[in-house]
Amino acid sequence: GTLTLSNQATNSQLLQYMPPLGATCTVVESTPLPPTPAYHEWTGAPSYSLDGGTPTAQLNNLLIDNTGHSVMVTNNLLRQTSTLNVTKLITPSEVAAVGDFGFTVSCQTPAGSYAGTVAVTAGNTGTTSISVPAGSTNCQVNETSRATPPQGYQWTDAVYQQPSADPLQAGATVNASITNTPRAANVALN
């Protein structure tokens, strides 16, 4: 038999087949599987379960008795990912600054928010990578926390270089950056 899946949330369909009593059956899924939705891939072999029992790798020698049986075949889809490199820059380099800077990446299609931290060490720069679902669009990086500024300084507003608003391609690496500038703190004069 053939099952045709639509875009239903459950992504399942019932196919009824009535073998004669006493028949011995083997359930095997045909290959190749149909094309996957955009930015997805099939992962692993299918699993089979009998009458809601524990999934198995195969289903052989199923004896049909007068109670009947139900067999479920499960395939898993994996969402492909893209890599987003986020670089933190502290300028000017003459003012040494180190520490952890938190950020989030908010994307549309699919909507999601992904958190990360960049550790800035010697050289006033640091880079970290996070995985973002492939196909995500309009991703925006926003700083969420800052390391303590160097003594006598305070942070100015961050300046961002955002990734392209286009869909992130599977397996691709894209870049974004956050630049912070420390400025001398105001000192009250008496």
Side-chain angles (χ1 to χ4, degrees):
T2 300
L3 296 177
T4 302
L5 299 180
S6 65
N7 267 341
Q8 300 172 8
T10 58
N11 285 318
S12 64
Q13 185 180 19
L14 176 65
L15 174 69
Q16 291 186 328
Y17 174 65
M18 308 281 273
L21 287 177
T24 301
C25 300
T26 297
V27 178
V28 178
E29 183 176 59
S30 300
T31 54
L33 293 173
T36 60
Y39 305 110
H40 289 78
E41 61 187 340
W42 296 113
T43 180
S47 64
Y48 303 88
S49 62
L50 176 65
D51 299 328
T54 304
T56 62
Q58 56 188 357
L59 192 54
N60 297 328
N61 303 320
L62 168 61
L63 179 65
I64 304 301
D65 58 26
N66 61 4
T67 62
H69 293 286
S70 64
V71 175
M72 183 183 306
V73 182
T74 302
N75 295 94
N76 294 306
L77 279 173
L78 175 68
R79 179 93 190 203
Q80 297 169 323
T81 60
S82 304
T83 300
L84 179 60
N85 289 334
V86 178
T87 300
K88 168 65 80 174
L89 305 166
I90 309 295
T91 61
S93 58
E94 294 80 26
V95 179
V98 296
D100 293 338
F101 294 79
F103 65 90
T104 60
V105 178
S106 299
C107 300
Q108 298 174 351
T109 319
S113 184
Y114 315 95
T117 301
V118 178
V120 174
T121 58
N124 283 15
T125 188
T127 299
T128 192
S129 299
I130 63 170
S131 292
V132 177
S136 296
T137 60
N138 298 314
C139 294
Q140 295 288 305
V141 178
N142 287 295
E143 190 175 59
T144 56
S145 64
R146 297 176 179 165
T148 302
Q151 187 171 0
Y153 289 85
Q154 61 188 23
W155 296 117
T156 60
D157 291 339
V159 176
Y160 299 95
Q161 177 191 346
Q162 302 288 0
S164 168
D166 295 335
L168 302 178
Q169 298 304 305
T173 300
V174 295
N175 299 306
S177 68
I178 307 169
T179 301
N180 287 97
T181 302
R183 71 171 181 205
N186 292 332
V187 178
L189 299 175
N190 292 331

